[in-house]
Each structure stands twice: as C-alpha cells, then as structure tokens.
Amino acid sequence: MKLWVLRHGEAEPYGSRPDSERALTLHGREEVLRSAAELIGQTITAIYASPYLRAQETAQLVREALGFEPEIRTVEWLTPDTDPDKVAEQLVSVSDVLLVSHNPLVGHLLSYLQHGAGHPPEKVSTAGLAELKGDELRIGSMKLKSIKHP
C-alpha cells in the first residue's frame, strides 16, 4: 500500500481572520501545482483533506491537476493539532490515498508511521509531498520512500 501526505501550500500570514480561514497565496498555489505534478500517473483512490481553507484549496488544485473525479473527503481528523494515532486509526481500511493537512500534524504523522511514538517530527515545507510504502498500515512499519519539496 502507498500513502501520500501533502502539506498545504504557502498561506496568507496570520491576521484578522481565524487560522482556519487563511487562504493560499499565489506562490502557494504554484507550489501545490508543482507537487501535484509528482502525483501524475499514481493510483490514488481518495483524497482526504482538513476542513481548513488552505488545505481545501490545496486538495482542489491537486484534484483538478490530476483530473481526479471523486469528491474530496473533508475530515476533522486532519487539522493541525490532531494526534497522529487518531489519524492512523482512520486509515486502517484504506489504501493508496492522499492526505492534505498541516504542520505540526504532517511532520508528526510521518515520523509516527515510520518509527512509532517518541521520535522527532519529519521536516516538511509548504506543499511538501511525502510518499510512504508498506505491506499494511501499522504504526512504525511504513517506509518513507521520498519527501519532495517544491
């Protein structure tokens, strides 16, 4: 099985709007499109995304770039401060999916799936795309095939 984890593209700076309503910048959109190009030809069965605006915009850009027909699955368990074990619980019966989320969750999730609890998070830039592989999704059993930064 494969799992791709994509951090949203560069977002507007913090300001008067809540964090969940920060949109992608033009640079962030360009970053996302470069990362989406890495997914062309991959077999993706679903795209799951955080409900935050910048993650939704990121997922939609990827969906359009890939010509992916199914709707984006918006889930609360991909918000920035979710525990990685809660995400892993949701992924038990899925395969070949793309997750679109935020740091610190992205870095912690990648580390957790490779090593288990207690390891430092992976460093992932905006629109960074990680690919994990494994026979099954078990904590500490996935192998990080690559992290690509646009």
Side-chain angles (χ1 to χ4, degrees):
M1 81 160 290
K2 288 185 182 179
L3 176 69
W4 291 272
V5 182
L6 176 63
R7 183 177 171 204
H8 64 79
E10 178 188 81
E12 298 171 334
Y14 290 97
S16 59
R17 291 195 282 178
D19 184 41
S20 61
E21 295 176 14
R22 293 171 49 219
L24 292 177
T25 63
L26 177 59
H27 175 71
R29 291 177 172 279
E30 292 167 351
E31 288 179 317
V32 169
L33 291 174
R34 285 194 297 275
S35 290
E38 298 290 335
L39 293 167
I40 293 171
Q42 298 293 336
T43 303
I44 297 174
T45 61
I47 298 174
Y48 291 86
S50 159
Y52 286 25
L53 179 59
R54 60 193 179 274
Q56 289 289 305
E57 291 176 330
T58 297
Q60 188 59 38
L61 284 168
V62 171
R63 182 176 179 251
E64 291 168 4
L66 298 180
F68 188 77
E69 298 222 1
E71 292 296 317
I72 295 163
R73 299 178 187 186
T74 301
V75 294
E76 292 292 330
W77 45 266
L78 285 176
T79 54
D81 296 316
T82 302
D83 289 331
D85 60 334
K86 292 185 180 175
V87 176
E89 288 172 8
Q90 301 297 321
L91 300 175
V92 171
S93 60
V94 301
S95 181
D96 300 339
V97 299
L98 170 65
L99 306 179
V100 180
S101 189
H102 319 260
N103 272 340
L105 175 59
V106 167
H108 287 294
L109 180 63
L110 294 175
S111 179
Y112 188 68
L113 292 174
Q114 292 177 83
H115 311 292
H119 288 268
E122 291 286 343
K123 295 190 185 310
V124 183
S125 66
T126 55
L129 176 67
E131 180 181 353
L132 295 142
K133 285 183 87 168
D135 294 331
E136 59 184 319
L137 197 143
R138 287 192 341 256
I139 306 324
S141 70
M142 301 290 288
K143 301 289 182 211
L144 182 63
K145 186 173 176 189
S146 67
I147 297 181
K148 297 183 179 170
H149 302 277

